Amino acid sequence: MSGRVVVLTGGVGGAKLVLGLSHAIDPASITAIVNTGDDFSHVGLRVCPDIDTLLYTLAGKSDEVRGWGRAGETWNFMDALKSIGGEDWFLLGDGDLALHVERTQRLARGQSVSEITAAYARAWGLTQEVLPMSDDPVATWLETDEGRLEFQRYFVGRRCAPVVNAIEFVGAAQARPAEGVLERIGASDTRAILIAPSNPYLSIDPILAVPGIREALRDAKAPVVAVSPLVGGQAVKGPTKKLMDELGLKATPHTIGAHYEGVLDGILLDERDQASTAPTLRHAYADTLMKSLEDRVRVARAALALADEIAA
């Protein structure tokens, strides 16, 4: 079946799905709408972690061993920064710096995050369309037992240790979807809309908080299918399970399905979660653990199969 596939995604986990999708269908038929609630300014540079993770992954430049950042990275800048007492809690590799320096310069010249991201994708020969959720600033903040923390201070600086009580997306109410976001979701030739197995609360909710996006998903002609971030009731990477516990939520497929109520037409669940309480909406089971490229392709195909089944 032909048609465009739209994916709402965060960083590492979502990038794996988009890569698998790129090997399952024509990469030029894929649009990734990426969370920018993690974006922040560090040592004077504008950093877009989820966008950069996706670009590195699709371009074959990601560090598969470390699980984040750029392959073959060196750390001369960080070593020099540390030697003069600079902030070293957020690591910026020498190769990674190129994106942030160039992005900061282009922003100062009036370019948007969308334009800059598209330029990076073209430079690396990518045919997938990569769109930020918004060109307006949105920042994820967390209320914790250590006080109010910006996302990167919580996630990187404190390694998700603080207990989270609430999550806020500052600026979301005033933000507008980036050009092309609503159009791709609502297009008549869109085959499926997938929600990646990214953290629902920290990676997908910021996207849904931008006015117009949730409504566009509800009105979309194409089926909306999520891939559960849970594998055997646990998160493969990141604080999803810990966060759910702290917010008083049971880590089950039913909880994930209910979280996206009103948006989803179906959800792909891990086969190890068959004994858990299933969501009431349409669902299918597969091995959703994505360690290899073959795994990623398998999960992408399973998600598309469910979407095509719903559409039929």
Side-chain angles (χ1 to χ4, degrees), residues 59-70:
K61 298 178 184 294
S62 61
D63 190 324
E64 295 291 327
V65 176
R66 196 169 57 232
W68 58 272
R70 188 169 180 155

Side-chain angles (χ1 to χ4, degrees), residues 210-224:
V210 176
I213 295 182
R214 183 182 290 271
E215 294 77 8
L217 292 169
R218 286 174 177 163
D219 297 340
K221 300 177 180 66
V224 182

Side-chain angles (χ1 to χ4, degrees), residues 92-110:
L92 297 173
D94 300 330
D96 195 36
L97 269 175
L99 273 71
H100 310 320
V101 169
E102 182 65 11
R103 177 184 293 118
T104 303
Q105 290 187 121
R106 290 184 183 221
L107 287 170
R109 293 199 295 265

Side-chain angles (χ1 to χ4, degrees), residues 289-307:
L289 190 59
M290 295 185 287
K291 291 184 176 180
S292 66
L293 177 59
E294 291 74 19
D295 295 337
R296 296 163 196 181
V297 174
R298 178 190 67 243
V299 175
R301 285 176 173 159
L304 281 179
L306 177 56

Side-chain angles (χ1 to χ4, degrees), residues 53-306:
T53 293
L54 181 59
L55 292 175
Y56 286 150
T57 300
L58 297 180
K61 298 178 184 294
S62 61
D63 190 324
E64 295 291 327
V65 176
R66 196 169 57 232
W68 58 272
R70 188 169 180 155
E73 191 64 275
T74 55
W75 306 96
N76 296 311
F77 170 78
M78 286 307 305
D79 290 342
L81 186 65
K82 291 177 190 177
S83 75
I84 55 174
E87 289 189 84
D88 61 358
W89 63 272
F90 190 93
L91 299 179
L92 297 173
D94 300 330
D96 195 36
L97 269 175
L99 273 71
H100 310 320
V101 169
E102 182 65 11
R103 177 184 293 118
T104 303
Q105 290 187 121
R106 290 184 183 221
L107 287 170
R109 293 199 295 265
Q111 291 189 28
S112 67
V113 176
S114 293
E115 292 170 325
I116 297 163
T117 302
Y120 288 175
R122 285 193 302 271
W124 287 346
L126 301 181
T127 57
Q128 301 92 335
E129 183 178 45
V130 179
L131 302 176
M133 66 189 198
S134 177
D135 284 316
D136 299 317
V138 177
T140 299
W141 284 80
L142 300 100
E143 294 289 347
T144 78
D145 61 348
E146 296 182 7
R148 194 163 180 265
L149 297 174
E150 193 173 18
F151 177 81
Q152 295 300 342
R153 286 285 181 180
Y154 162 80
F155 188 72
V156 178
R158 293 292 293 116
R159 300 183 182 275
C160 307
V163 175
V164 175
N165 306 307
I167 305 168
E168 181 184 4
F169 309 115
V170 176
Q174 294 77 40
R176 297 159 297 173
E179 185 176 350
V181 167
L182 300 184
E183 292 80 2
R184 291 305 194 194
I185 291 173
S188 59
D189 65 342
T190 295
R191 168 186 175 185
I193 302 163
L194 305 182
I195 297 180
S198 303
N199 188 305
Y201 312 96
L202 298 177
S203 296
I204 303 301
D205 276 1
I207 302 175
L208 300 180
V210 176
I213 295 182
R214 183 182 290 271
E215 294 77 8
L217 292 169
R218 286 174 177 163
D219 297 340
K221 300 177 180 66
V224 182
V225 170
V227 179
S228 173
L230 300 177
V231 174
Q234 300 292 325
V236 176
K237 185 178 178 64
T240 301
K241 171 65 164 59
K242 175 180 179 291
L243 192 62
M244 292 178 78
D245 290 342
E246 292 166 358
L247 295 175
L249 302 169
K250 291 183 179 180
T252 68
H254 179 79
T255 303
I256 300 298
H259 182 72
Y260 292 131
E261 185 177 1
V263 169
L264 287 188
D265 297 299
I267 185 168
L268 181 68
L269 306 172
D270 183 71
E271 61 189 14
R272 282 154 284 233
D273 285 316
Q274 291 190 55
S276 299
T277 306
T280 55
L281 72 163
R282 290 278 291 274
H283 58 276
Y285 292 97
D287 181 353
T288 61
L289 190 59
M290 295 185 287
K291 291 184 176 180
S292 66
L293 177 59
E294 291 74 19
D295 295 337
R296 296 163 196 181
V297 174
R298 178 190 67 243
V299 175
R301 285 176 173 159
L304 281 179
L306 177 56

